Amino acid sequence: MDLNRFKADTALEDEGVWTTVDAGSGCRLKIARIGNRRYRETMARRLKPYRRALRAGTLDDQVTERITAEVLAETVLLDWQGLERDGAALAYSREAAAAILVDPAYKDFRDLVVELAGDQEAYRERDLEDAEKNSSTSSAGSTTGADASTS
């Protein structure tokens, strides 16, 4: 077995990849890999004030969930296209992403973001032939990363 089949593209992990989540509506999410450098650094910084409670196992689950959702919005859910609520298009902003990911009513959406961010194949280093094929079929090149499709 060739070890290179496990080689990740660290730029894609940090910059994110576009993933189609609903082909019918054209909804796509730009997702960085969970555990990327910025995620680790931001999570460590945000949890620092709670170190004592973390060690003691007394940190409230709601605090942990809120911090995790906010860090996901800052470092993992980097953009979206075609996302709507009640028929109205939602413009992407870090604040809008945080509000959605923190809201318990959208827990399933947050779980989807985490699932997509953990998809190892989306962040694999592609060989040169695949990279050339993807770049020739991409749009104006305004986004970074591959376009993975899920159903």
Side-chain angles (χ1 to χ4, degrees):
M1 175 174 67
D2 187 351
L3 184 60
N4 283 331
R5 80 183 237 197
F6 298 102
K7 190 173 183 181
D9 184 327
T10 55
L12 288 180
E13 289 182 331
D14 290 339
E15 296 167 11
V17 296
W18 283 100
T19 302
T20 300
V21 294
D22 183 30
S25 69
C27 181
R28 299 180 342 136
L29 305 177
K30 188 174 185 184
I31 306 285
R33 188 165 186 187
I34 195 106
N36 70 58
R37 180 190 49 79
R38 285 184 50 234
Y39 177 89
R40 291 188 315 270
E41 291 170 357
T42 305
M43 186 63 86
R45 186 178 70 250
R46 295 290 308 277
L47 288 174
K48 190 174 183 177
Y50 303 99
R51 277 188 302 206
R52 184 173 292 160
L54 277 168
R55 282 190 213 122
T58 59
L59 185 59
D60 187 271
D61 287 344
Q62 289 179 334
V63 172
T64 305
E65 287 182 22
R66 179 183 49 81
I67 290 171
T68 300
E70 291 170 352
V71 172
L72 286 170
E74 186 174 337
T75 65
V76 173
L77 179 56
L78 305 178
D79 200 353
W80 63 57
Q81 296 172 344
L83 191 62
E84 300 176 354
R85 183 175 11 214
D86 299 324
L90 291 175
Y92 174 84
S93 71
R94 186 179 293 167
E95 295 76 20
I100 292 168
L101 294 173
V102 166
D103 189 336
Y106 294 105
K107 181 186 182 315
D108 290 340
F109 180 75
R110 184 175 75 204
D111 290 348
L112 173 66
V113 169
V114 170
E115 178 184 330
L116 294 171
D119 178 11
Q120 299 171 354
E121 288 303 313
Y123 306 98
R124 290 279 181 247
E125 188 172 82
R126 307 291 183 234
D127 60 27
L128 189 57
E129 186 176 311
D130 287 344
E132 288 173 1
K133 182 179 83 172
N134 287 339
S135 67
S136 68
T137 59
S138 67
S139 58
S142 60
T143 61
T144 302
D147 183 17
S149 180
T150 61
S151 42

